[in-house]
Structure formats: structure tokens, C-alpha cells
CSV table of all heavy atoms in Angstrom, one decimal:
chain,number,residue,atom,x,y,z
A,14,MET,N,-14.7,-21.0,-23.3
A,14,MET,CA,-15.0,-21.4,-22.0
A,14,MET,C,-13.9,-20.9,-21.1
A,14,MET,O,-12.7,-21.0,-21.4
A,14,MET,CB,-15.2,-22.8,-21.9
A,14,MET,CG,-15.6,-23.3,-20.5
A,14,MET,SD,-16.0,-25.0,-20.4
A,14,MET,CE,-15.7,-25.3,-18.6
A,15,TYR,N,-14.4,-20.4,-19.9
A,15,TYR,CA,-13.4,-19.9,-19.0
A,15,TYR,C,-13.3,-20.9,-17.8
A,15,TYR,O,-14.2,-21.1,-17.0
A,15,TYR,CB,-13.9,-18.6,-18.4
A,15,TYR,CG,-12.8,-17.8,-17.8
A,15,TYR,CD1,-11.8,-17.2,-18.4
A,15,TYR,CD2,-12.9,-17.5,-16.4
A,15,TYR,CE1,-10.8,-16.4,-17.8
A,15,TYR,CE2,-11.8,-16.7,-15.7
A,15,TYR,CZ,-10.9,-16.2,-16.5
A,15,TYR,OH,-9.9,-15.5,-15.8
A,16,SER,N,-12.2,-21.5,-17.8
A,16,SER,CA,-12.0,-22.6,-16.8
A,16,SER,C,-11.5,-22.2,-15.4
A,16,SER,O,-11.0,-21.0,-15.4
A,16,SER,CB,-11.0,-23.8,-17.3
A,16,SER,OG,-9.8,-23.2,-17.4
A,17,ILE,N,-11.6,-22.9,-14.4
A,17,ILE,CA,-11.1,-22.6,-13.1
A,17,ILE,C,-9.7,-22.5,-13.1
A,17,ILE,O,-9.0,-21.6,-12.5
A,17,ILE,CB,-11.6,-23.7,-12.1
A,17,ILE,CG1,-13.0,-23.5,-11.8
A,17,ILE,CG2,-10.7,-23.5,-10.7
A,17,ILE,CD1,-13.6,-24.4,-10.8
A,18,GLU,N,-9.0,-23.3,-13.9
A,18,GLU,CA,-7.6,-23.3,-14.1
A,18,GLU,C,-7.1,-21.9,-14.5
A,18,GLU,O,-6.1,-21.3,-14.1
A,18,GLU,CB,-7.0,-24.4,-15.0
A,18,GLU,CG,-7.1,-25.7,-14.3
A,18,GLU,CD,-8.4,-26.4,-14.4
A,18,GLU,OE1,-9.3,-25.8,-15.2
A,18,GLU,OE2,-8.6,-27.5,-13.9
A,19,MET,N,-7.8,-21.3,-15.7
A,19,MET,CA,-7.5,-20.1,-16.2
A,19,MET,C,-7.7,-19.0,-15.1
A,19,MET,O,-6.9,-18.1,-15.0
A,19,MET,CB,-8.3,-19.8,-17.4
A,19,MET,CG,-7.9,-20.6,-18.7
A,19,MET,SD,-9.2,-20.5,-19.9
A,19,MET,CE,-9.1,-18.9,-20.4
A,20,ALA,N,-8.7,-19.0,-14.4
A,20,ALA,CA,-9.1,-18.0,-13.4
A,20,ALA,C,-8.0,-18.1,-12.3
A,20,ALA,O,-7.5,-17.0,-11.9
A,20,ALA,CB,-10.4,-18.3,-12.8
A,21,TYR,N,-7.6,-19.3,-12.0
A,21,TYR,CA,-6.6,-19.4,-10.9
A,21,TYR,C,-5.2,-18.9,-11.4
A,21,TYR,O,-4.5,-18.1,-10.6
A,21,TYR,CB,-6.4,-20.9,-10.5
A,21,TYR,CG,-5.5,-21.1,-9.3
A,21,TYR,CD1,-5.9,-20.8,-8.1
A,21,TYR,CD2,-4.2,-21.6,-9.6
A,21,TYR,CE1,-5.0,-21.0,-7.0
A,21,TYR,CE2,-3.4,-21.9,-8.4
A,21,TYR,CZ,-3.8,-21.5,-7.1
A,21,TYR,OH,-3.0,-21.7,-6.1
A,22,ALA,N,-4.8,-19.2,-12.6
A,22,ALA,CA,-3.6,-18.6,-13.1
A,22,ALA,C,-3.6,-17.1,-13.2
A,22,ALA,O,-2.6,-16.5,-12.9
A,22,ALA,CB,-3.3,-19.2,-14.5
A,23,ARG,N,-4.7,-16.6,-13.6
A,23,ARG,CA,-4.8,-15.0,-13.7
A,23,ARG,C,-4.7,-14.5,-12.3
A,23,ARG,O,-4.1,-13.4,-12.0
A,23,ARG,CB,-6.2,-14.7,-14.3
A,23,ARG,CG,-6.4,-13.2,-14.4
A,23,ARG,CD,-5.5,-12.6,-15.4
A,23,ARG,NE,-5.7,-11.2,-15.6
A,23,ARG,CZ,-4.9,-10.2,-15.7
A,23,ARG,NH1,-3.6,-10.6,-15.7
A,23,ARG,NH2,-5.2,-9.0,-15.8
A,24,MET,N,-5.4,-15.1,-11.3
A,24,MET,CA,-5.4,-14.7,-9.9
A,24,MET,C,-3.9,-14.7,-9.4
A,24,MET,O,-3.5,-13.7,-8.8
A,24,MET,CB,-6.3,-15.5,-9.1
A,24,MET,CG,-6.4,-15.0,-7.6
A,24,MET,SD,-7.4,-16.2,-6.7
A,24,MET,CE,-6.3,-17.6,-6.5
A,25,ARG,N,-3.1,-15.7,-9.7
A,25,ARG,CA,-1.7,-15.8,-9.2
A,25,ARG,C,-1.0,-14.6,-9.9
A,25,ARG,O,-0.1,-14.1,-9.2
A,25,ARG,CB,-1.2,-17.2,-9.6
A,25,ARG,CG,-1.7,-18.3,-8.7
A,25,ARG,CD,-1.5,-18.1,-7.3
A,25,ARG,NE,-0.1,-17.9,-7.0
A,25,ARG,CZ,0.7,-18.9,-6.5
A,25,ARG,NH1,0.3,-20.1,-6.4
A,25,ARG,NH2,2.0,-18.7,-6.3
A,26,GLU,N,-1.2,-14.4,-11.1
A,26,GLU,CA,-0.5,-13.4,-11.9
A,26,GLU,C,-0.7,-12.0,-11.2
A,26,GLU,O,0.2,-11.2,-10.9
A,26,GLU,CB,-1.0,-13.2,-13.4
A,26,GLU,CG,-0.2,-13.7,-14.5
A,26,GLU,CD,-0.9,-13.6,-15.8
A,26,GLU,OE1,-1.3,-12.5,-16.1
A,26,GLU,OE2,-1.1,-14.7,-16.5
A,27,LEU,N,-2.0,-11.8,-10.9
A,27,LEU,CA,-2.3,-10.5,-10.3
A,27,LEU,C,-1.7,-10.4,-8.9
A,27,LEU,O,-1.2,-9.3,-8.5
A,27,LEU,CB,-3.8,-10.2,-10.2
A,27,LEU,CG,-4.6,-10.1,-11.6
A,27,LEU,CD1,-6.0,-10.2,-11.3
A,27,LEU,CD2,-4.2,-8.7,-12.1
A,28,GLN,N,-1.7,-11.4,-8.2
A,28,GLN,CA,-1.1,-11.4,-6.9
A,28,GLN,C,0.4,-11.1,-6.9
A,28,GLN,O,1.0,-10.4,-6.1
A,28,GLN,CB,-1.4,-12.8,-6.1
A,28,GLN,CG,-2.6,-12.7,-5.3
A,28,GLN,CD,-2.7,-14.1,-4.6
A,28,GLN,OE1,-2.3,-15.1,-5.0
A,28,GLN,NE2,-3.5,-14.0,-3.4
A,29,ASP,N,1.1,-11.8,-7.9
A,29,ASP,CA,2.5,-11.6,-8.0
A,29,ASP,C,2.8,-10.2,-8.4
A,29,ASP,O,3.7,-9.5,-7.7
A,29,ASP,CB,3.0,-12.5,-9.1
A,29,ASP,CG,3.2,-14.0,-8.7
A,29,ASP,OD1,2.9,-14.2,-7.5
A,29,ASP,OD2,3.4,-14.8,-9.6
A,30,MET,N,2.0,-9.5,-9.3
A,30,MET,CA,2.2,-8.1,-9.7
A,30,MET,C,2.0,-7.2,-8.4
A,30,MET,O,2.8,-6.3,-8.2
A,30,MET,CB,1.2,-7.8,-10.8
A,30,MET,CG,1.7,-8.3,-12.1
A,30,MET,SD,0.9,-7.5,-13.5
A,30,MET,CE,-0.8,-7.4,-13.0
A,31,ALA,N,0.9,-7.5,-7.7
A,31,ALA,CA,0.6,-6.7,-6.5
A,31,ALA,C,1.7,-6.8,-5.4
A,31,ALA,O,2.1,-5.9,-4.9
A,31,ALA,CB,-0.7,-7.2,-5.9
A,32,ASN,N,2.2,-8.0,-5.2
A,32,ASN,CA,3.2,-8.2,-4.3
A,32,ASN,C,4.4,-7.5,-4.7
A,32,ASN,O,5.2,-6.9,-3.8
A,32,ASN,CB,3.6,-9.7,-4.1
A,32,ASN,CG,2.5,-10.4,-3.3
A,32,ASN,OD1,1.7,-9.7,-2.6
A,32,ASN,ND2,2.3,-11.7,-3.4
A,33,ARG,N,4.8,-7.5,-6.0
A,33,ARG,CA,6.1,-6.9,-6.5
A,33,ARG,C,5.9,-5.3,-6.3
A,33,ARG,O,6.8,-4.7,-5.8
A,33,ARG,CB,6.3,-7.2,-8.0
A,33,ARG,CG,7.4,-8.2,-8.1
A,33,ARG,CD,7.7,-8.4,-9.6
A,33,ARG,NE,7.1,-9.7,-10.0
A,33,ARG,CZ,6.2,-9.8,-11.1
A,33,ARG,NH1,5.9,-8.8,-11.7
A,33,ARG,NH2,5.7,-10.9,-11.2
A,34,SER,N,4.8,-4.7,-6.7
A,34,SER,CA,4.7,-3.3,-6.6
A,34,SER,C,4.6,-2.9,-5.2
A,34,SER,O,5.1,-1.8,-4.8
A,34,SER,CB,3.4,-2.9,-7.4
A,34,SER,OG,2.2,-3.3,-6.7
A,35,ARG,N,4.0,-3.7,-4.3
A,35,ARG,CA,3.9,-3.3,-2.9
A,35,ARG,C,5.3,-3.3,-2.2
A,35,ARG,O,5.7,-2.4,-1.5
A,35,ARG,CB,3.0,-4.4,-2.2
A,35,ARG,CG,2.4,-3.8,-0.9
A,35,ARG,CD,1.5,-4.8,-0.1
A,35,ARG,NE,0.6,-5.5,-1.1
A,35,ARG,CZ,0.2,-6.7,-0.9
A,35,ARG,NH1,0.6,-7.4,0.2
A,35,ARG,NH2,-0.6,-7.4,-1.8
A,36,ALA,N,6.0,-4.3,-2.6
A,36,ALA,CA,7.5,-4.6,-2.1
A,36,ALA,C,8.3,-3.4,-2.6
A,36,ALA,O,9.1,-2.8,-1.7
A,36,ALA,CB,8.1,-5.9,-2.5
A,37,ASN,N,8.1,-2.9,-3.7
A,37,ASN,CA,8.9,-1.8,-4.2
A,37,ASN,C,8.5,-0.4,-3.8
A,37,ASN,O,9.3,0.4,-3.4
A,37,ASN,CB,8.9,-1.8,-5.8
A,37,ASN,CG,9.6,-3.0,-6.4
A,37,ASN,OD1,10.5,-3.6,-5.8
A,37,ASN,ND2,9.3,-3.4,-7.6
A,38,ALA,N,7.2,-0.2,-3.7
A,38,ALA,CA,6.7,1.1,-3.6
A,38,ALA,C,6.4,1.4,-2.1
A,38,ALA,O,6.6,2.6,-1.6
A,38,ALA,CB,5.4,1.4,-4.4
A,39,ALA,N,5.7,0.5,-1.4
A,39,ALA,CA,5.2,0.8,0.0
A,39,ALA,C,5.9,0.1,1.1
A,39,ALA,O,5.3,-0.1,2.2
A,39,ALA,CB,3.7,0.5,-0.1
A,40,ALA,N,7.1,-0.3,1.0
A,40,ALA,CA,7.7,-1.0,2.1
A,40,ALA,C,7.8,-0.2,3.4
A,40,ALA,O,7.4,-0.6,4.4
A,40,ALA,CB,9.1,-1.6,1.7
A,41,PRO,N,8.3,1.0,3.3
A,41,PRO,CA,8.4,1.8,4.5
A,41,PRO,C,7.0,2.2,5.1
A,41,PRO,O,6.9,2.1,6.3
A,41,PRO,CB,9.0,3.1,4.1
A,41,PRO,CG,9.7,2.8,2.7
A,41,PRO,CD,8.9,1.7,2.1
A,42,ARG,N,6.0,2.5,4.3
A,42,ARG,CA,4.7,2.8,4.7
A,42,ARG,C,4.2,1.6,5.5
A,42,ARG,O,3.5,1.7,6.5
A,42,ARG,CB,3.8,3.2,3.6
A,42,ARG,CG,3.7,4.8,3.5
A,42,ARG,CD,2.7,5.1,2.5
A,42,ARG,NE,2.8,4.3,1.3
A,42,ARG,CZ,2.6,4.7,0.0
A,42,ARG,NH1,2.3,6.0,-0.2
A,42,ARG,NH2,2.9,4.0,-1.0
A,43,ARG,N,4.3,0.4,4.8
A,43,ARG,CA,3.7,-0.8,5.4
A,43,ARG,C,4.4,-1.2,6.8
A,43,ARG,O,3.6,-1.5,7.7
A,43,ARG,CB,3.9,-2.0,4.4
A,43,ARG,CG,3.2,-3.2,4.9
A,43,ARG,CD,3.3,-4.3,3.8
A,43,ARG,NE,4.7,-4.6,3.6
A,43,ARG,CZ,5.2,-5.0,2.4
A,43,ARG,NH1,4.5,-5.1,1.4
A,43,ARG,NH2,6.5,-5.2,2.2
A,44,ALA,N,5.6,-0.9,6.9
A,44,ALA,CA,6.3,-1.1,8.1
A,44,ALA,C,5.7,-0.2,9.2
A,44,ALA,O,5.4,-0.6,10.4
A,44,ALA,CB,7.8,-0.9,8.1
A,45,ALA,N,5.5,1.0,8.8
A,45,ALA,CA,5.1,2.1,9.8
A,45,ALA,C,3.6,1.8,10.2
A,45,ALA,O,3.2,1.8,11.4
A,45,ALA,CB,5.1,3.5,9.1
A,46,LYS,N,2.9,1.4,9.2
A,46,LYS,CA,1.4,1.0,9.6
A,46,LYS,C,1.3,-0.3,10.5
A,46,LYS,O,0.6,-0.2,11.4
A,46,LYS,CB,0.7,0.6,8.2
A,46,LYS,CG,-0.8,0.9,8.3
A,46,LYS,CD,-1.5,0.6,7.0
A,46,LYS,CE,-1.3,1.6,6.0
A,46,LYS,NZ,-1.9,1.3,4.6
A,47,LYS,N,2.2,-1.2,10.2
A,47,LYS,CA,2.2,-2.4,11.1
A,47,LYS,C,2.5,-2.0,12.5
A,47,LYS,O,1.9,-2.4,13.5
A,47,LYS,CB,3.2,-3.4,10.6
A,47,LYS,CG,2.6,-4.7,10.4
A,47,LYS,CD,3.8,-5.7,9.9
A,47,LYS,CE,3.4,-6.2,8.4
A,47,LYS,NZ,4.4,-7.2,8.0
A,48,ALA,N,3.5,-1.1,12.7
A,48,ALA,CA,4.0,-0.7,14.0
A,48,ALA,C,2.9,-0.1,14.7
A,48,ALA,O,2.6,-0.3,15.9
A,48,ALA,CB,5.2,0.1,13.9
A,49,ARG,N,2.2,0.9,14.0
A,49,ARG,CA,1.1,1.6,14.7
A,49,ARG,C,0.0,0.7,15.1
A,49,ARG,O,-0.5,0.9,16.1
A,49,ARG,CB,0.6,2.7,13.6
A,49,ARG,CG,1.3,4.0,13.7
A,49,ARG,CD,0.5,5.1,13.1
A,49,ARG,NE,0.0,4.9,11.8
A,49,ARG,CZ,0.6,5.1,10.7
A,49,ARG,NH1,1.7,5.7,10.7
A,49,ARG,NH2,0.1,4.8,9.5
A,50,GLY,N,-0.4,-0.2,14.2
A,50,GLY,CA,-1.5,-1.1,14.5
A,50,GLY,C,-1.1,-2.0,15.8
A,50,GLY,O,-1.9,-2.2,16.6
A,51,ALA,N,0.1,-2.4,15.9
A,51,ALA,CA,0.5,-3.2,17.1
A,51,ALA,C,0.4,-2.3,18.4
A,51,ALA,O,0.0,-2.9,19.4
A,51,ALA,CB,2.0,-3.7,16.8
A,52,LYS,N,0.8,-1.1,18.3
A,52,LYS,CA,0.8,-0.2,19.5
A,52,LYS,C,-0.7,0.0,20.0
A,52,LYS,O,-0.9,0.0,21.1
A,52,LYS,CB,1.5,1.1,19.2
A,52,LYS,CG,2.9,1.0,19.2
A,52,LYS,CD,3.6,2.4,18.9
A,52,LYS,CE,5.1,2.3,18.6
A,52,LYS,NZ,5.6,3.5,17.9
A,53,LYS,N,-1.5,0.2,19.0
A,53,LYS,CA,-2.9,0.4,19.4
A,53,LYS,C,-3.6,-0.7,20.2
A,53,LYS,O,-4.3,-0.4,21.1
A,53,LYS,CB,-3.8,0.6,18.2
A,53,LYS,CG,-3.8,2.2,17.6
A,53,LYS,CD,-4.7,2.3,16.5
A,53,LYS,CE,-4.4,3.6,15.7
A,53,LYS,NZ,-5.1,3.6,14.4
A,54,ARG,N,-3.2,-1.9,19.7
A,54,ARG,CA,-3.7,-3.0,20.5
A,54,ARG,C,-3.1,-3.2,21.8
A,54,ARG,O,-3.6,-3.3,22.8
A,54,ARG,CB,-3.6,-4.3,19.6
A,54,ARG,CG,-4.6,-4.3,18.5
A,54,ARG,CD,-4.5,-5.6,17.6
A,54,ARG,NE,-4.8,-5.2,16.3
A,54,ARG,CZ,-4.3,-5.9,15.3
A,54,ARG,NH1,-3.4,-6.8,15.5
A,54,ARG,NH2,-4.6,-5.5,14.0
């Protein structure tokens, strides 16, 4: 049986991995994208 607790733990794992890879790989791009988005509005 697949419990909600297991699903939640897996979701947190994936989020942690995504945050780590995003912080390592795309920090400059993310900053540039944020700045462009702010200017457009």
C-alpha cells in the first residue's frame, strides 16, 4: 500500500533535489529572468 506519508516524503525528496540542482546550475539565469519579468510589468 502506498500511504500519503510515503508520497509526501518522496515529494520532499524531489523538491530538495530540484532546489539543489537549480541553485547550482541556474542561479544566474534565474536572476536574469526575474529582473526581466519585473521590468515588463
Side-chain angles (χ1 to χ4, degrees):
M14 178 175 159
Y15 196 70
S16 68
I17 287 181
E18 287 84 6
M19 286 166 64
Y21 186 74
R23 180 70 177 138
M24 186 181 71
R25 289 301 303 262
E26 252 177 59
L27 290 171
Q28 266 183 334
D29 287 349
M30 287 196 315
N32 287 338
R33 251 182 263 126
S34 67
R35 205 182 313 152
N37 290 337
R42 262 186 315 217
R43 192 174 53 213
K46 203 179 284 180
K47 231 180 244 178
R49 274 202 307 270
K52 283 179 193 166
K53 275 184 195 168
R54 287 179 212 151

